[in-house]
Amino acid sequence: MKVYYDQDADLKYIRNCRVAVLGYGSQGHAHACNLHDSGVSVVVGLRPESASAGAAGQAGLKVLSVPEAVAQADLVMMLIPDENQEQVYREQVLPSIRKAATLGFAHGFNIHYEQIEPRQDLDVIMVAPKGPGHLVRSTFQEGKGVPALVAVHQDCSGKALGLALAYASAIGAGRSGVIHTSFREETETDLFGEQAVLCGGLTALIQAGFETLVEAGYAPEMAYFECLHELKLIIDLIYEGGLANMRYSISNTAEYGDLTRGPRVIGEPSRQAMRRILQDVQDGTFAREFVLENRAGRPVMKARRRQSREHELERIGQQLREMMPWIGAQRLVKTPQQ
Ligand code: NAD
Ligand code: MG
Ligand code: MG
């Protein structure tokens, strides 16, 4: 497998390009600001009523309507939510996009599951940072970068990979590593990773640990520190040097408990569940469910979000974090409730 770095990217591909970033959310703001700081000509395409228009303008970026931004672009980057991309492509991108322009994605969902079938004259690329958008921006500003995946779906010009690498470099990913993959591999591994490990697996693990201690009569504050707060310190150690690095730092008691009890928590039933989750991703079951959920107005998402917000873990967490104001001072994300 080939990993590319800044020295492998030729920035002329992106410097000769007018880029339209559609959407100014988690990824959109990071890509647009990083490109701008790298000297790339970029405009942001938003809905007229969009709440993000003010923020984009304050960051020194030109904001246009989606069709206007698309019409003047050589590269149109689709950084709106996956569930809105098909409609926006059909109604606002396709009528305005130039002949032989490039259509870009940060996730392969709509191409891989054929929700969008791009016009034949377009190049189609992906530059998918392997991290949340707010880190893509803050890491870039620190002179570092979040790694990214690049892929090519259509290459009419013969320059699609060159442009993808140059774009990855301009948003900072070439500082830490850019992996060449396919839309299929990115989509399936990304969905599996976020469902089974990074988001789904992790939050379920935290919640189950918290509930087990609370059910057994321990104070919820204790359970919060033990099962959630300390996790960051452990992850920081794993991130900088792998599992062994973390195990070197913890006590022998903790390490023995880790090595012998961890596989009981994530045993054969959990591995079976992971295989089924992967299968649902591979055979389109998850994609169909997500597309239909959105068409129905997101009833499951709304109910589960509410249930989760009302959980004792979140209430206790808010109280305890108020006692640690430095956490709030260094926030990466501001959610609408705050
Ligand atoms: P987001 O929800 O944070 O932001 C979406 C933006 O699009 C907002 O500015 C919103 O106003 C705008 N928008 C929504 N509907 C629109 C419409 N109909 N027309 C015009 N603008 C519209 O989205 P995100 O999480 O940054 O995701 C964007 C893409 O990046 C997705 O393909 C996602 O899979 C991918 N991605 C996201 C992350 C991440 O960190 N969030 C990481 C890797 C890849
Ligand atoms: Mg994802
Ligand atoms: Mg301990």
Side-chain angles (χ1 to χ4, degrees), residues 184-232:
R184 174 182 171 215
E185 187 177 48
E186 184 277 339
T187 304
E188 293 177 357
T189 55
D190 185 77
L191 292 174
F192 175 79
E194 65 203 16
Q195 292 172 19
V197 181
L198 301 174
C199 310
L202 181 65
T203 54
L205 182 70
I206 291 171
Q207 194 169 322
F210 176 88
E211 286 169 1
T212 303
L213 285 178
V214 172
E215 269 165 29
Y218 297 98
E221 291 81 359
M222 289 285 294
Y224 176 86
F225 279 119
E226 205 51 54
C227 300
L228 188 149
H229 183 78
E230 267 197 70
L231 197 58
K232 161 140 178 69

Side-chain angles (χ1 to χ4, degrees), residues 22-28 45-47 50-52 66 78-82 84-85 88 92 106-107 128-134 186 190:
L22 304 187
Y24 198 72
S26 181
Q27 288 293 324
L46 287 173
R47 291 170 289 196
S50 173
S52 318
V66 171
M78 298 285 275
L79 297 180
I80 64 175
D82 295 307
N84 295 353
Q85 289 183 6
V88 170
Q92 297 185 67
H107 177 43
K130 285 285 94 183
H134 298 89
E186 184 277 339
D190 185 77

Side-chain angles (χ1 to χ4, degrees), residues 89 93-101 103 117-124 154 156:
Y89 174 77
V93 175
L94 195 53
S96 304
I97 192 166
R98 292 181 170 182
K99 196 153 180 22
L103 187 63
E117 295 183 69
R119 212 171 62 196
Q120 282 304 314
D121 60 289
L122 303 173
D123 281 4
V124 180
Q154 282 178 198
C156 303

Side-chain angles (χ1 to χ4, degrees), residues 10-62:
D10 187 345
L11 286 177
K12 84 164 189 288
Y13 287 106
I14 189 85
R15 293 250 159 85
N16 292 334
C17 217
R18 271 158 308 178
V19 181
V21 168
L22 304 187
Y24 198 72
S26 181
Q27 288 293 324
H29 92 282
H31 290 226
C33 291
N34 292 4
L35 289 170
H36 184 68
D37 290 354
S38 297
V40 175
S41 162
V42 54
V43 298
V44 176
L46 287 173
R47 291 170 289 196
E49 74 282 8
S50 173
S52 318
Q58 270 172 16
L61 297 161
K62 188 169 163 188

Side-chain angles (χ1 to χ4, degrees), residues 3-302:
V3 183
Y4 295 89
Y5 295 94
D6 279 339
Q7 62 265 28
D8 306 309
D10 187 345
L11 286 177
K12 84 164 189 288
Y13 287 106
I14 189 85
R15 293 250 159 85
N16 292 334
C17 217
R18 271 158 308 178
V19 181
V21 168
L22 304 187
Y24 198 72
S26 181
Q27 288 293 324
H29 92 282
H31 290 226
C33 291
N34 292 4
L35 289 170
H36 184 68
D37 290 354
S38 297
V40 175
S41 162
V42 54
V43 298
V44 176
L46 287 173
R47 291 170 289 196
E49 74 282 8
S50 173
S52 318
Q58 270 172 16
L61 297 161
K62 188 169 163 188
V63 181
L64 297 172
S65 72
V66 171
E68 285 168 343
V70 169
Q72 59 158 59
D74 305 300
L75 166 58
V76 175
M77 198 65 188
M78 298 285 275
L79 297 180
I80 64 175
D82 295 307
E83 65 272 21
N84 295 353
Q85 289 183 6
E86 185 275 327
Q87 189 185 4
V88 170
Y89 174 77
R90 184 165 33 82
E91 294 178 355
Q92 297 185 67
V93 175
L94 195 53
S96 304
I97 192 166
R98 292 181 170 182
K99 196 153 180 22
T102 300
L103 187 63
F105 294 86
H107 177 43
F109 189 97
N110 282 286
I111 294 294
H112 179 60
Y113 296 111
E114 298 184 30
Q115 301 299 294
I116 295 176
E117 295 183 69
R119 212 171 62 196
Q120 282 304 314
D121 60 289
L122 303 173
D123 281 4
V124 180
I125 63 171
M126 169 166 43
V127 181
K130 285 285 94 183
H134 298 89
L135 281 183
V136 174
R137 180 58 182 154
S138 64
T139 328
F140 178 89
Q141 288 176 302
E142 290 163 9
K144 306 171 218 153
V146 169
L149 307 178
V150 293
V152 172
H153 176 67
Q154 282 178 198
D155 187 10
C156 303
S157 68
K159 296 176 185 162
L161 182 62
L163 179 57
L165 289 173
Y167 185 102
S169 181
I171 62 168
R175 297 167 181 170
S176 56
V178 179
I179 294 173
H180 187 188
T181 179
S182 63
F183 272 69
R184 174 182 171 215
E185 187 177 48
E186 184 277 339
T187 304
E188 293 177 357
T189 55
D190 185 77
L191 292 174
F192 175 79
E194 65 203 16
Q195 292 172 19
V197 181
L198 301 174
C199 310
L202 181 65
T203 54
L205 182 70
I206 291 171
Q207 194 169 322
F210 176 88
E211 286 169 1
T212 303
L213 285 178
V214 172
E215 269 165 29
Y218 297 98
E221 291 81 359
M222 289 285 294
Y224 176 86
F225 279 119
E226 205 51 54
C227 300
L228 188 149
H229 183 78
E230 267 197 70
L231 197 58
K232 161 140 178 69
L233 316 173
I234 297 294
I235 291 292
D236 284 347
L237 291 167
I238 295 175
Y239 176 80
E240 71 171 23
L243 301 179
N245 189 67
M246 181 274 288
R247 288 179 174 142
Y248 179 78
S249 172
I250 61 180
S251 67
N252 290 337
T253 329
E255 186 177 358
Y256 180 76
D258 161 0
L259 292 166
T260 60
R261 267 53 179 178
R264 282 204 214 162
V265 177
I266 309 295
E268 196 44 39
S270 297
R271 286 170 189 267
Q272 278 295 347
M274 285 189 184
R275 285 184 208 110
R276 279 199 303 276
I277 285 167
L278 182 58
Q279 201 175 13
D280 282 358
V281 165
Q282 290 170 329
D283 69 14
T285 301
F286 173 78
R288 185 191 56 203
E289 186 182 319
F290 185 61
V291 168
L292 293 179
E293 159 79 358
N294 283 293
R295 284 207 194 130
R298 306 209 277 180
V300 175
M301 186 101 144
K302 286 173 183 164

